[in-house]
Amino acid sequence: EGLTRLAREFPGNQRYRLRLAEHESYRNPGSYPVDRKSLSVIIEIAKMPPIKLPEFEKPAIEVWSYVLLRRSPSPVDLPLLQEFMAFDPNNAGIKERLHLILQEQAVQRKLLADPNYQAQIEGLALLDKGQLDAAEPLLKRALHARPKDADLLGKMGLLYMRQGQHAQAKEYFIQAARSNKKWTALAEESGFWQLMHEANEARNAGDFALAERKVNAALKMQPNETDAIVLLANVQADLGSLSGAV
């Protein structure tokens, strides 16, 4: 509030202009797009002839670089970084950020030219649309090329989970979780539903004792799961009926 008033009352005061622009640029750190109005003021002051405003050149350059470096690296920043480098080619932080983005772009171009990566992109898009049968061979192809890719392993787990193939899903989630713990919960969930599936199969086959063991194992994993509680009650009823018949 105070800076805004001072900058408005003294429009020719570069100190107030710089501090206000710096303040405005800090309001939304890392935001996209960058506050170009504030940045343009900072750049304008940084580029002023040193003989005119020697005391502002260095702080303005520091603010300019800080505004750019505190944002997450993104290709949208390339023109801003290149403009800075044209003005101050020896700034190590900006030089490193520019190199990082250009390097990432080169990697991305290489990936986009890779048929296996193309299969991954297409397979993931089909998975998101629920087209599981079409997604499966594409994701398998991508995974064959990168068998330790945790994200791909996890996505394969999701595919099989949605197909109701919980044993396979669990195996993929376990492999994915070795590199990224975010898949651990889904590995456990798949294990739960696999036990439920086996309990139902055993019950349908008339093996109520096995069904009871399976559903009890499932309940140890998720004690409050309604489906498991109901299934256990039904299996115990089956066992009671069997005992009564004997």
Side-chain angles (χ1 to χ4, degrees):
E1 187 72 31
L3 274 174
T4 303
R5 179 177 55 78
L6 287 170
R8 186 171 57 248
E9 291 179 1
F10 303 96
N13 188 304
Q14 304 308 322
R15 185 186 302 278
Y16 295 153
R17 291 185 71 218
L18 178 60
R19 293 309 168 209
L20 178 61
E22 182 180 7
H23 174 72
E24 292 289 338
S25 71
Y26 291 175
R27 282 188 174 181
N28 299 302
S31 63
Y32 291 94
V34 68
D35 187 322
R36 296 305 296 265
K37 183 178 179 181
S38 302
L39 185 58
S40 66
V41 172
I42 295 167
I43 294 172
E44 176 196 336
I45 296 173
K47 289 183 176 181
M48 283 182 175
I51 194 169
K52 184 177 179 182
L53 292 166
E55 73 273 27
F56 292 117
E57 181 187 25
K58 186 177 179 181
I61 293 172
E62 288 174 352
V63 172
W64 183 6
S65 65
Y66 182 73
V67 168
L68 297 179
L69 290 176
R70 69 179 179 157
R71 291 153 55 79
S72 300
S74 170
V76 302
D77 283 344
L78 274 177
L80 299 174
L81 295 167
Q82 288 165 340
E83 181 183 7
F84 187 100
M85 286 297 293
F87 180 75
D88 182 8
N90 297 317
N91 186 292
I94 296 294
K95 188 183 294 186
E96 182 181 350
R97 175 63 59 86
L98 184 61
H99 176 73
L100 174 64
I101 294 174
L102 291 173
Q103 194 174 44
E104 288 177 349
Q105 283 190 321
V107 171
Q108 189 66 20
R109 282 194 297 269
K110 185 176 179 181
L111 278 174
L112 290 173
D114 180 358
N116 295 314
Y117 184 74
Q118 293 170 6
Q120 175 181 336
I121 296 299
E122 186 179 351
L124 292 176
L126 291 168
L127 177 63
D128 288 341
K129 293 176 183 176
Q131 299 178 29
L132 306 181
D133 291 341
E136 185 176 358
L138 293 168
L139 293 180
K140 279 185 174 179
R141 174 179 176 174
L143 190 59
H144 181 74
R146 291 194 304 283
K148 295 184 179 180
D149 187 309
D151 189 57
L152 266 176
L153 288 164
K155 295 297 185 180
M156 284 298 295
L158 283 176
L159 185 145
Y160 286 121
M161 190 177 194
R162 292 172 186 176
Q163 287 180 335
Q165 300 183 55
H166 299 293
Q168 284 181 277
K170 180 183 176 181
E171 288 305 312
Y172 279 108
F173 287 139
I174 288 173
Q175 291 181 61
R178 289 181 185 136
S179 300
N180 191 329
K181 297 301 181 184
K182 76 174 185 178
W183 299 106
T184 302
L186 284 172
E188 293 172 355
E189 185 175 346
S190 293
F192 169 84
W193 288 110
Q194 178 60 22
L195 286 168
M196 289 288 289
H197 174 74
E198 292 171 356
N200 277 304
E201 279 193 333
R203 185 186 181 209
N204 292 335
D207 192 341
F208 304 128
L210 177 59
E212 185 179 34
R213 289 197 300 274
K214 293 290 184 180
V215 74
N216 275 323
L219 279 166
K220 285 183 180 179
M221 298 176 71
Q222 296 191 28
N224 300 317
E225 173 57 50
T226 303
D227 288 347
I229 293 170
V230 171
L231 180 57
L232 179 61
N234 290 334
V235 170
Q236 288 175 338
D238 294 332
L239 285 167
S241 298
L242 186 64
S243 175
V246 176

